[in-house]
Every structure is written in structure tokens, then in C-alpha cells.
Amino acid sequence: MDYVVPQSPVVSLPVAGSTALFPVHRVYCVGRNYVEHAKEMGFSGREDPFFFCKPNDALVPVAQGQTGAMAYPSKTSSLHHEIELVVALGKGGVDLTLEQAADCVWGYAVGLDMTRRDLQTEAKKLGRPWEVGKGFEQSGPIGPIHPRSATGTLDGNAIWLDVNGQRRQSSTLDKLIWNVAESIAFLSGLFELKAGDLIFTGTPEGVAAVVKGDLLVGGIEGLGELRVKIA
């Protein structure tokens, strides 16, 4: 088939323990999904979950045991780290029950939702969309997908992030305001979910700025570490 411009390549992620790749469809993110992070952002309570998206080509795949590189983006002086559990869907649907939603999970990964906080904050003040703060190039460093068949269902696992060897974020997955199944079920009422979708499930408290040269090392118990250098 002829295209009038070059066709973009399929965005895919490595699968732990396999030579196969996971093709990425859409990338959804859950906002303010840990109580203490919601508080540090000026909110509290169990409000309905809300979502934003990143382009799938904003992902930066990082192989297990390797250190990925992320360029410090333009137009910001406040680039923040947000370590997150990422859920990879093996199937989807519309208006899913909690049981159906849980069954959609194919695997898990460690991800970073990097945020131009100053641009996001200004957009919030003006009532504008967040894309400039969240959806820029290389804003989603991510490790390999670990099949749920190998890890089991993740629930109370530890999640953490160190910057230059200093602990910045530390929590457990059972402190999510909306757990994985609840987030998937709610999201399926807003969009038709598909196999290949990723969901960044939210970050714990402790988000802060990084600068060029910083080394970020984050991890989730059972999924290994994600290492990223700010170039």
C-alpha cells in the first residue's frame, strides 16, 4: 500500500523473559491516585478517578539492567519524576465489571510519568488541557512488560524511586485510591479499551524536580528496577 507520508513504526515494548514484543495501542494515565500524593497536589478524598493520555511514541523503552536516557525537555524549569505501576492490557471492552476488568490485565511494568510541572500548573490555572505538561517527547520511560502469568496479581508490593541514591518516593501498591481493576472498569465506561493499551496507575507522594545529569532508579517489588539518566 502506498502512503503519502512515511508510515510510523509500531510502538512496542520488550517482554521480560521473551524475545516477543508487546505492541502498544493507547497510553492512559490515572491522575492523583495515591492519598498522600493527592494531598501534596492540594486535594484529598476519594473523588472519581480521572484520566489523561500520552502519545504512545512518548514512551522510552529501557531494557532490564540497562540505563535509559531521557533528554531534559524544552520550555520548562521544573521537570518532575512520578514513579508508577503500568498495567498492560491483553484484551479490552466497554463498561466492564470489576471481574472482567481484572481479567484484562496481561502484565505489568515499571514506568515514569515525567511531568513539566510548571507548564501543567499554568494549564490548570487557565483551565486548559495538560498535554504540554504530560504528553511531550520521552515523557514515559518504561521497563519491560512482565506477564501476569509469571508475576501473579500485584497488590501490596513496594514501589519506590531514588534520585542520585537518595530515596524520594516510597509506598505500596495497596495504597492506590482506585485499585487496578477499579481504574480499568471506570476507564472502560469512558473509552473502548483494546488489547495493547497501557495504563499508568498513579504515583505516590514525594514527586520533585530533577535536573540534567540526575540518575533516577525506580522499582516495584517483583518487577525489578527502571534506571534513567536525565541527559
Side-chain angles (χ1 to χ4, degrees):
M1 181 177 292
D2 292 329
Y3 295 95
V4 296
V5 296
Q7 184 183 19
S8 298
V10 174
V11 176
S12 59
L13 300 174
V15 174
S18 172
T19 58
L21 296 174
F22 184 91
V24 179
H25 181 233
R26 292 178 178 172
V27 181
Y28 299 98
C29 305
V30 188
R32 293 196 300 262
N33 203 23
Y34 283 80
V35 172
E36 295 305 317
H37 175 57
K39 289 179 180 178
E40 72 182 355
M41 293 291 102
F43 298 85
S44 62
R46 196 174 192 254
E47 59 183 334
D48 283 350
F50 68 93
F51 306 87
F52 57 93
C53 292
K54 288 181 182 285
N56 60 14
D57 60 0
L59 298 174
V60 181
V62 181
Q64 198 76 55
Q66 300 296 310
T67 299
M70 175 196 171
Y72 195 96
S74 61
K75 306 295 184 182
T76 185
S77 58
S78 186
L79 177 67
H80 279 210
H81 57 73
E82 298 190 8
I83 190 71
E84 308 203 6
L85 171 70
V86 182
V87 176
L89 302 189
K91 54 185 175 181
V94 177
D95 295 327
L96 300 171
T97 66
L98 289 178
E99 293 75 16
Q100 291 170 331
D103 191 49
C104 287
V105 177
W106 189 89
Y108 306 98
V110 183
L112 280 164
D113 169 21
M114 301 302 292
T115 303
R116 291 192 286 203
R117 189 71 71 200
D118 43 1
L119 300 189
Q120 182 198 31
T121 299
E122 183 65 17
K124 286 180 180 180
K125 289 179 182 178
L126 297 174
R128 294 176 179 172
W130 292 7
E131 276 82 357
V132 295
K134 292 287 193 176
F136 55 94
E137 288 73 14
Q138 300 187 353
S139 62
I142 185 170
I145 305 292
H146 294 253
R148 186 176 64 162
S149 59
T151 65
T153 298
L154 302 189
D155 184 13
N157 304 55
I159 179 172
W160 69 91
L161 178 79
D162 296 340
V163 178
N164 301 326
Q166 299 296 313
R167 186 62 43 100
R168 290 269 189 97
Q169 293 184 266
S170 180
S171 190
T172 52
L173 299 181
D174 55 1
K175 292 182 181 177
L176 285 164
I177 297 173
W178 295 87
N179 66 33
V180 169
E182 290 171 331
S183 294
I184 294 171
F186 198 100
L187 184 60
S188 74
L190 301 171
F191 302 94
E192 180 180 359
L193 300 181
K194 302 275 191 178
D197 286 342
L198 299 181
I199 302 174
F200 282 65
T201 59
T203 194
E205 69 276 12
V207 301
V210 293
V211 297
K212 293 179 181 179
D214 281 349
L215 175 63
L216 285 61
V217 181
I220 295 174
E221 183 183 1
L223 301 181
E225 291 184 340
L226 171 64
R227 300 172 58 88
V228 177
K229 185 90 169 180
I230 306 299

